[in-house]
Each structure stands twice: as C-alpha cells, then as structure tokens.
Amino acid sequence: MLQECRSNSLFAFENLESNVRSYSRSFPVVFRKAAGAILEDENGFEFVDFLSGSGVLNYGHNDPDFLQDAVQYLKSNGIIHGLDMATSAKRQFMECFDAIILRPRGLTYKFQFPGPTGANAVEAALKLARKVTGRHSIVSFTNGFHGVSLGALAVTGARYYRDAAGIPPAGAVFMPYDGYWGADSDTSEYLDRVLADASSGVDLPAAIILETVQGEGGIKPASKDWLQSVERLCRKNGVLLIVDDIQAGCGRTGNFFGFEFADLSPDIIVLSKSLSGCGLPLSLLLLKPELDVWQPGEHSGTFRGNNLALVTGTAALRKYWTNQKLSDGVAEAERVLNERLQQVAQSSRDHSLSVRGRGMMLGLDCSTGELAEKIVRRAFEGGLVVERCGAEHQVVKLLPPLTIDRQTLQRGLDILDKSVHASA
Ligand code: PLP
C-alpha cells in the first residue's frame, strides 16, 4: 500500500482527482522538478517547456535569485498572510513597480490587489467599471478569454466554458475582434457605428475589455491601428478601456505591457500570471487614480496580495526590468522563432499551416484540431511540452520562457519541426 502511495504512476490522478483535470491528460507523466526551460519527470526524462504554465513562467522555472529572496524572507519570519494589512513586502513591491515600470513610462496608476487569480482581477475590473459609470454592459470581443468565474466568463467567448456555466452568462455584448472579417475589414468601424447609433440595440457599455494578443482564443494579435481606434471610440463615448494583460503582459510580447507598442493609455490594466516571477499566485489591477471610487473593503477577499509572491515579484522587477536586456532578448528570440516556424509551415506537406503572434507569443495554426493534437502529442513523446489553443484547438501555442537560452530554444524547435513533419 505504502509502495503504491510512493509509486510514480498516474493512478492517483486518474482515480482520485476529478474529471475536470486537463493538463495531466495532455502530458501523462508525473513531473518532479524543473529549472529554467526544462521540466523533469519522475523517471528523470527531460522536457523542453514551451508551455510555461500558460504564460505564468515568463522568467522560467525556479529562478535561483527569486528563490533565494523567497527563502530568505521565509527564514526571517516575514509575513506570509496579512489580509490586506500594510506589510513591508507589499510596500516594497508597490514602490519598485512604480519606480521601475510606471514612472519611466510616464504612467500614473493606483494599485488594487484582488484575489490571486486572473479571473479574480477581471471580476474586480468589471465591477469597478460598472460602479464608476453606472452602466451594466461590457463590450468584449469574439474569441476573447478572460477567465471562467461567472463575471469573467460572461466576457469570454469560448463555447466550451460558457456551456459549463450552469446559467446564461450575462452582462456582455460581443463585437468582432481585429481581423474577424478578414484582413481588409476594420471591425472597429462597426463598433464605432453601433455605439454612435442610439437605435443599434447595443447599449452604451461601462467598458470595453480586450487582450492585445488573444491567447486562449488562438494567438491573434491586434494591430496598432485597430487598438488605437478602439481607444479613440472609448474616449469619444465615455467608455472605460480595460486591457487584460494577464497573458500578453510581463514581457511576453517584448515590452512590460502588451499595449505599449500601440501607445495606449488604458483606464484599467489587469495583470496576473507572470507577475510574481516564479509561479506564485498574484494578480493586480492598475487603475487610473480618478477611477478609485471604491469604499473601504467594498471589494474584499481573504487572499489579496500574497506576500511571498510580492517578494518574488519585486525580485523579478529588479532583475529583469531595470535594463533593456530582456526586451532585446525577446525581440531576438521572436526573429528566431518566426523564421523557423515559417520554414516548418512552408516545408510541411500540409500547406494550410500558418504562423502568427507577437514577441514570444506565437501560434502555428494547423487549420484543424486533429492535426494540432497529433503534433502536440508527438512533440510530447519527443520531449517538448506545448499546448493548443483556438476555437477548434487548432493552434499550437508557443510560449517558451523569455529567458530560454538559444540552445534549448533550438532543441524545442527541432522537436516541433520533427513532430509537424511526422504528423502533417
Ligand atoms: N485573462 C487572460 C487573458 C488569460 O489568458 C487568462 C488565463 O489563461 C485569464 C484571464 C484567467 O486567469 P486565471 O486562469 O488565473 O483565472
């Protein structure tokens, strides 16, 4: 019995854990440890990680500097849980974030720490936008993904998750994202038109929420022009702009924020995933000071601003955002990834493969979920962890750690290349 408890089989996951589990089905081994861009299973088999916890591990697994700060904090009896009391860890994080990220970009925001997940932060952002404007409706976009709690789910397009809600997700209206009607059509004109037309049937929303690159929706990057048009129509109509930077932020697309390339000035920014630097749960709303209409404790929660995550989050800001090195590395890796993926797509027997994305958030669109599944399965067998996204799960989604070295990046790409050729 004891031996069974200690075995490295998947028995416990398959028999004790709920059917709701998903990643342990796609990657049916038991992982034991990880460093940088390498995951290792219980048999000592290594996998290159192009999943990065779905965007949580932008700085790779177990960065030794972050771990050192975390261990030192724990050993010094630092506050681990403090509700939202003032702690040294939180002060240090806010001061560093303000000095390293906001002020150099000319940005002024107040910090709200909601519960630790991305969906928690999205819920808080929607609630605040409704409170500020007194309006109910939120405009979201086709294929947008913002989480699966009820409020966040209402602004999420994916049918699979919406069907699981149990009640009709309410309070949102969906508009076509950039490119939804093809490259030649500017969908922001349609949005502009329906908001200007009092009889369009579309109520003036409290906010528009968007991702600058849709992640779960299929790695769909919005153009600078389109994003700027959406921002303009927000301003024209007194509608708040919420940028959900949970997956595209923290350097994933090159700059710290995913919207910087388009010079946006969002009213509310939502961050989570890689914010703590090392996978500890942490999320954050940045809100323009004039929007801070909350009454004390009005939006509450037991686990807000996880102190250990704030310690490692501060370490990440100091290590990676006080110079340009990380952003330059992302630009260089984007070139390598893009070039190789284009080669893979063009040389594959199935010419319906295409590549898109921004920074180190790239997708190989395989047209069908079946083909993408085969590729991802073979890749796993060959030692690469990579997942799928998109409405039909037809896109192989590449999110290597931003800190991955060139050799490991090539190793992952070689495995992917072989998997595509063996599958297509
Ligand atoms: N928003 C975006 C853009 C996401 O990619 C995700 C998760 O993938 C979420 C929100 C939800 O975050 P969480 O799963 O932590 O609730």
Side-chain angles (χ1 to χ4, degrees), residues 54 117-120 122 145-148 211 216 244 246-247 272-273:
S54 203
T117 70
N120 290 157
V122 169
F145 184 89
H146 301 285
V148 297
E211 299 153 87
E216 301 311 296
D244 177 345
I246 287 173
Q247 193 159 152
S272 183
K273 291 210 189 261

Side-chain angles (χ1 to χ4, degrees), residues 229-411:
S229 300
V230 172
E231 182 176 67
R232 262 196 308 278
L233 66 88
C234 280
R235 302 291 166 248
K236 188 166 86 179
N237 293 286
V239 169
L240 301 183
L241 177 62
I242 304 173
V243 172
D244 177 345
D245 228 4
I246 287 173
Q247 193 159 152
C250 296
R252 178 50 64 186
T253 57
N255 297 313
F256 185 84
F257 294 114
F259 56 81
E260 279 180 65
F261 82 104
D263 282 330
L264 301 186
S265 172
D267 297 293
I268 301 174
I269 303 163
V270 190
L271 290 168
S272 183
K273 291 210 189 261
S274 280
L275 188 62
S276 76
C278 66
L280 291 170
L282 179 67
S283 76
L284 172 65
L285 289 195
L286 296 170
L287 43 126
K288 288 203 166 156
E290 63 274 21
L291 302 182
D292 194 12
V293 298
W294 291 118
Q295 295 299 310
E298 202 178 16
H299 188 77
S300 190
T302 305
F303 294 107
R304 286 173 292 148
N306 175 338
N307 280 279
L308 192 59
L310 291 166
V311 168
T312 55
T314 302
L317 296 174
R318 286 186 171 144
K319 179 165 178 177
Y320 287 112
W321 294 103
T322 50
N323 60 53
Q324 266 295 112
K325 253 170 88 180
L326 186 76
S327 292
D328 292 347
V330 172
E332 174 57 22
E334 179 182 5
R335 272 193 292 280
V336 172
L337 277 160
N338 236 320
E339 204 172 292
R340 183 69 183 272
L341 291 175
Q342 296 290 358
Q343 273 170 15
V344 169
Q346 277 158 21
S347 65
S348 102
R349 274 169 284 157
D350 186 330
H351 290 293
S352 53
L353 299 191
S354 60
V355 182
R356 58 172 181 264
R358 183 177 298 126
M360 289 178 77
M361 187 170 183
L362 294 176
L364 182 67
D365 192 328
C366 304
S367 299
T368 69
E370 290 73 31
L371 178 56
E373 188 187 10
K374 259 197 222 168
I375 293 171
V376 162
R377 196 162 6 96
R378 280 184 200 265
F380 179 67
E381 286 160 11
L384 174 69
V385 169
V386 64
E387 73 170 329
R388 296 184 292 149
C389 61
E392 312 295 331
H393 306 288
Q394 79 283 19
V395 181
V396 178
K397 177 181 168 207
L398 289 93
L399 299 182
L402 310 182
T403 52
I404 192 169
D405 62 80
R406 289 296 163 265
Q407 208 184 349
T408 313
L409 187 66
Q410 291 297 355
R411 177 170 153 196

Side-chain angles (χ1 to χ4, degrees), residues 144-160:
F145 184 89
H146 301 285
V148 297
S149 57
L150 283 181
L153 188 60
V155 291
T156 289
R159 171 62 46 209
Y160 186 67

